[in-house]
Amino acid sequence: MIKMVISKPNWSKSHPLNSIVLMYDAIEHKLVYADHYEQTTTEIDYPADEGMLIDDWKVGHAHSFAGRPQYCADILNYWILNQPLDHIQWDNFYDQDDFTYYYPLDKMIEQLCEEVPKYDSMFNEKTFIKFHKDFVNAFGELESNGIGVNTDFTKIFGEHMLKYINNKKIYQNYNFFTTTSRPSNSIHHLNFAALTQEQRKAFSPLNDVFVEFDFESYHPRLIAKLTDYDFGNSSVYGKLADDLGVTESEAKTITFQNLYGGVRKNIAKMSEFFRGVEDLVKVFYDEYMTRNRILTHIYKRPMKRDNLGDLNAQKLFNYYIQAYETERNVTILNKIHTYLLERKTNIVHYNYDSFLFDYSKEDGKETIHDIQKILQKDDFIIHSKVGNTYGTLKNYEF
C-alpha cells in the first residue's frame, strides 16, 4: 500500500496549491516518490503498467500518477469495516504552510509504517469497483470545482481564511466515510453543511448567477419509491393532510415524527403511505438481524451488524434511507459532471437535497432545462432559486 503525505495536510486536498511531498510503499518499505528538502525524485518509482493501491482517494483524484490505475485503500476499508482509514494526524501546531516539506523524512516514514491494514473479508468486487469509481468522481469533481467567494468572506469568517482563497475560490471537504455515506463537509472550522443565512452571503458566482435546485419532500418521495406508493404530482403533505384529517403544516410535523421516530398505530390505520413505511421498517430489520447485514439500495454496499452493532429497527431504517438518498445523489452528480464537461456552468455545492450551480449565461437557458430534466428523473419534483450570493437566493421558476 502506498501511503502519501501532501504539502498542506490541513487544507482541502483538492486545493490547487496542494502537492505531494512523499509517497511510500508501506508494504515493500520502499520510497516511491519524494519532493522533500532531504530527498527529491524526478519520477514515480512504480511500474507504469500496474495499478496503485493508495491510502487516500482525494489525493489520488487530484493527481493522475502518470495515468496509472488507482485503487483506494480508504474506500476499501470503508466498504468492509464501515469506518475511515487512519491517517497521520497532524497537531494544530503544524498549521504552517508546507511544513511537511521540512518535517524529518525518516520520522514521517516511521509514522506511515506504524499501521498497515490487512483485509481478510470477502467482498463483491464488481459492486465495490462501481461504488469506488462513482463516489470518487462525484465528490472529487465537486471539490475540485471550488466555490466563489466575495469580499465579505474574510469579514465573516476572519482574516486567517484569506490564505485558503485561490482564484477567488475556496475549496470544500466532502467526507463520505460516515455511517450512512451521507457526506459531512467541514474544513478550517467552517461547516458548509450548516451555514447560516448571513454566512452564505460570503459566497458569490464567478460566472453570472447562482442557481439552486432543491427536491420537494425528498425523503417521503424516496421512501414512496421503495414501497411503490405514488404521490404523483400532488403535494406530499397535502395528500397526507387529506389522509390524516389535519392541515398541511400539521401533516409535515407528523411525517417527520413518524418517519424518524417510528410509525404510530393510529397513523398507520389512516394512511396507506405510513402502512407501507411500517412494513418496510420490519422487512429491513428482519434482513439485518437474520443475515447480519443489509445492502444499500443502489450500490449494494454492505451495512454490517459486526460494524454497526445491534441497531434498533427505526435507526436502521433511518440509516438505510440516508444511504439511499446519498447514492441516488451520487448518480445525479455524475450525470451533471458529464453534462457540464464542456460548459462554463459549474456545480459548486451540494447539501443533501439541494444542488448549487454557478451558472454562465453563455451556456443558454437550455442548460438550465437539461439540468432540471436530470434532477426530475423518476418524477421527483424540484424547486429553483437564483441570486447574486448564496445567502440572497430568491424563488424563481424557469
Side-chain angles (χ1 to χ4, degrees):
M1 179 191 300
I2 296 173
K3 293 194 171 186
M4 299 176 290
V5 176
I6 54 177
S7 59
K8 297 174 172 60
N10 296 321
W11 291 34
S12 169
K13 293 168 185 176
S14 300
H15 198 291
L17 298 182
N18 230 333
S19 59
I20 296 176
V21 169
L22 176 66
M23 297 174 67
Y24 189 81
D25 192 328
I27 295 176
E28 299 293 332
H29 297 284
K30 173 185 174 184
L31 186 73
V32 176
Y33 174 82
D35 182 12
H36 189 270
Y37 91 101
E38 292 181 26
Q39 186 170 351
T40 301
T41 59
T42 56
E43 295 181 351
I44 294 173
D45 185 10
Y46 199 85
D49 58 348
E50 287 188 19
M52 303 175 71
L53 178 64
I54 59 176
D55 71 334
D56 195 316
W57 75 265
K58 289 192 179 187
V59 178
H61 184 270
H63 302 274
S64 69
F65 302 141
R68 293 173 176 86
Q70 300 174 21
Y71 307 100
C72 303
D74 51 350
I75 298 180
L76 178 60
N77 195 82
Y78 177 67
W79 182 273
I80 294 174
L81 301 177
N82 212 125
Q83 62 187 28
L85 186 68
D86 288 334
H87 294 284
I88 296 177
Q89 297 299 312
W90 303 103
D91 294 335
N92 290 334
F93 173 78
Y94 298 110
D95 199 30
Q96 187 66 31
D97 298 350
D98 302 318
F99 74 87
T100 53
Y101 180 79
Y102 300 101
Y103 196 89
L105 193 62
D106 61 337
K107 293 292 185 183
M108 276 201 292
I109 291 174
E110 182 181 324
Q111 290 187 63
L112 293 177
C113 292
E114 279 181 359
E115 188 173 343
V116 181
K118 295 179 181 179
Y119 305 106
D120 298 322
S121 301
M122 298 296 292
F123 63 95
N124 188 314
E125 184 176 348
K126 184 177 179 180
T127 55
F128 168 72
I129 289 175
K130 177 67 173 169
F131 175 90
H132 181 293
K133 176 184 174 184
D134 286 3
F135 270 66
V136 166
N137 191 70
F139 293 114
E141 290 297 308
L142 182 55
E143 271 195 30
S144 65
N145 286 341
I147 183 171
V149 297
N150 55 49
T151 53
D152 287 337
F153 185 76
T154 52
K155 295 176 186 176
I156 292 174
F157 296 107
E159 292 293 329
H160 69 285
M161 298 293 284
L162 184 62
K163 66 180 180 180
Y164 302 120
I165 300 172
N166 184 72
N167 289 332
K168 301 180 181 179
K169 293 180 182 180
I170 194 82
Y171 291 83
Q172 300 172 73
N173 181 36
Y174 291 93
N175 169 36
F176 58 82
F177 296 143
T178 61
T179 303
T180 66
S181 79
R182 178 192 259 193
S184 60
N185 184 13
S186 180
I187 195 165
H188 314 311
H189 305 293
L190 193 169
N191 186 354
F192 283 93
L195 295 172
T196 66
Q197 202 69 16
E198 194 62 29
Q199 288 174 331
R200 292 183 179 203
K201 293 178 182 177
F203 301 93
S204 294
L206 299 182
N207 288 317
D208 295 302
V209 69
F210 273 156
V211 178
E212 183 184 63
F213 295 106
D214 64 271
F215 288 108
E216 177 187 283
S217 310
Y218 200 21
H219 275 199
R221 289 186 181 276
L222 285 169
I223 294 166
K225 295 291 181 186
L226 298 175
T227 61
D228 292 324
Y229 183 86
D230 186 13
F231 281 110
N233 292 323
S234 61
S235 162
V236 165
Y237 302 118
K239 177 67 174 67
L240 294 176
D242 292 341
D243 291 346
L244 302 173
V246 297
T247 66
E248 285 197 29
S249 177
E250 290 170 331
K252 186 173 183 178
T253 300
I254 291 170
T255 298
F256 278 86
Q257 289 172 343
N258 284 263
L259 287 185
Y260 308 120
V263 178
R264 292 180 229 151
K265 290 182 180 179
N266 64 316
I267 298 298
K269 286 180 181 179
M270 292 186 284
S271 168
E272 180 188 345
F273 170 71
F274 282 110
R275 286 195 294 276
V277 173
E278 189 176 45
D279 291 342
L280 196 61
V281 171
K282 293 175 183 175
V283 169
F284 287 166
Y285 189 67
D286 286 345
E287 179 174 348
Y288 185 73
M289 297 303 289
T290 302
R291 300 187 179 182
N292 293 315
R293 61 102 175 99
I294 189 169
L295 302 180
T296 59
H297 188 63
I298 296 177
Y299 288 95
K300 309 305 178 187
R301 178 175 67 85
M303 299 173 73
K304 300 176 184 177
R305 192 174 170 190
D306 282 347
N307 299 331
L308 302 180
D310 290 331
L311 303 175
N312 63 47
Q314 193 59 45
K315 181 170 281 191
L316 175 66
F317 178 73
N318 295 343
Y319 283 177
Y320 187 93
I321 298 306
Q322 285 189 19
Y324 178 26
E325 165 210 285
T326 304
E327 291 184 349
R328 183 175 186 274
N329 288 342
V330 162
T331 65
I332 290 170
L333 284 168
N334 282 323
K335 289 175 183 176
I336 288 170
H337 291 324
T338 300
Y339 176 75
L340 294 177
L341 204 56
E342 297 182 1
R343 292 171 171 81
K344 287 189 67 177
T345 298
N346 275 323
I347 179 165
V348 294
H349 183 60
Y350 148 75
N351 194 30
Y352 310 150
D353 64 353
S354 66
F355 299 76
L356 184 68
F357 295 84
D358 188 339
Y359 171 64
S360 171
K361 293 178 181 177
E362 286 183 26
D363 292 334
K365 280 191 177 181
E366 63 270 17
T367 293
I368 293 294
H369 296 149
D370 288 343
I371 291 171
Q372 286 178 312
K373 289 176 184 176
I374 293 172
L375 295 169
Q376 290 169 329
K377 187 183 176 185
D378 298 325
D379 301 319
F380 282 85
I381 295 175
I382 59 171
H383 298 291
S384 51
K385 296 178 181 178
V386 300
N388 292 321
T389 76
Y390 188 27
T392 54
L393 299 174
K394 303 293 182 185
N395 292 332
Y396 185 92
E397 296 299 327
F398 290 94

